[in-house]
Amino acid sequence: AQIALPLVPQRVGLVTSIGSAAYNDFVDEINASDCAFRILACDARVQGAETEKTVVAAIRTLQRMDVDVIVVARGGGSRSDLAGFDAESIARAIATCPVPVLTGIGHEIDTSLADVVAHKDFKTPTACADFLVDRVHEVLRIDSSIVDPTPEVMGTVDADFIRGIAKLENRLLIVLDLDKIPGDKMLEVE
């Protein structure tokens, strides 16, 4: 059974080469949002002989941290540049990780073994970041409709789902009241 992605995945573990285009694309997209994400980036070589060892080590490090989701990101390149993400050890680290792992590896035409076993795969690091931002925005829209429900919304929202959202009220305050959070877009590099 696949691990459920948290409703509001705000604590993001990022596996990539710190300072790379993939890193900057992902972090810039997250920071441009109006959401309070906390990113813990773990540096890994994403091309060459060290890819397998460093990506597996980064995933294992982040799974022990307090993160909601882990993102493995790498920009495009030739098939041989991306070959490290077809390694069995990376696929196993992703598939057995107790935290949901998203991948944003390569571009439109690229698919790796890491993508196949991930919780969800995206064609680029930016698309992966967009997904996380959109997920938080969707919860905000649902929360707003519960606070001030319209008849149309109430007809389509399941009562058990509403009770589940109500139980998450304290977690949602972190997202909803950004002005009271110091460092709401904190970037921590481990």
Side-chain angles (χ1 to χ4, degrees):
Q2 195 175 53
I3 301 163
L5 185 66
L7 191 61
V8 184
Q10 291 181 276
R11 298 167 305 195
V12 181
L14 177 60
V15 176
T16 194
S17 178
I18 294 177
S20 67
Y23 171 86
N24 289 320
D25 290 349
F26 183 86
V27 170
D28 289 350
E29 196 69 24
I30 291 290
N31 285 338
S33 76
D34 57 353
C35 303
F37 287 95
R38 180 174 149 234
I39 300 172
L40 297 175
C42 199
D43 193 46
R45 302 286 62 95
V46 292
Q47 180 176 331
E50 299 294 308
T51 300
E52 193 172 345
K53 179 176 74 170
T54 60
V55 169
V56 169
I59 291 168
R60 290 189 177 144
T61 296
L62 288 169
Q63 76 185 27
R64 293 188 304 265
M65 309 294 280
D66 186 25
V67 296
D68 299 320
V69 64
I70 295 173
V71 172
V72 177
R74 199 254 191 237
S78 69
R79 188 69 211 132
S80 62
D81 290 344
L82 302 174
F85 292 96
D86 288 325
E88 181 182 349
S89 62
I90 292 176
R92 284 187 186 278
I94 291 170
T96 61
C97 187
V99 176
V101 177
L102 309 179
T103 57
I105 301 169
H107 287 301
E108 296 300 319
I109 60 170
D110 302 315
T111 301
S112 67
L113 187 54
D115 292 323
V116 172
V117 299
H119 181 86
K120 189 162 179 63
D121 67 299
F122 298 90
K123 294 301 179 185
T124 65
T126 302
C128 197
D130 286 341
F131 168 79
L132 293 171
V133 170
D134 290 346
R135 186 164 177 102
V136 172
H137 283 163
E138 183 60 29
V139 171
L140 291 173
R141 279 191 291 279
I142 291 169
D143 186 68
S144 296
S145 67
I146 292 169
V147 172
D148 187 20
T150 63
E152 297 83 23
V153 170
M154 289 310 292
T156 60
V157 177
D158 180 74
D160 289 335
F161 182 72
I162 292 171
R163 283 191 288 280
I165 292 288
K167 289 178 186 176
L168 292 172
E169 183 176 309
N170 290 335
R171 278 183 68 189
L172 291 177
L173 288 176
I174 294 170
V175 177
L176 297 174
D177 201 356
L178 296 179
D179 294 332
K180 294 185 181 177
I181 301 171
D184 59 281
K185 294 179 184 171
M186 183 183 340
L187 174 63
E188 298 178 22
V189 179
E190 298 284 304

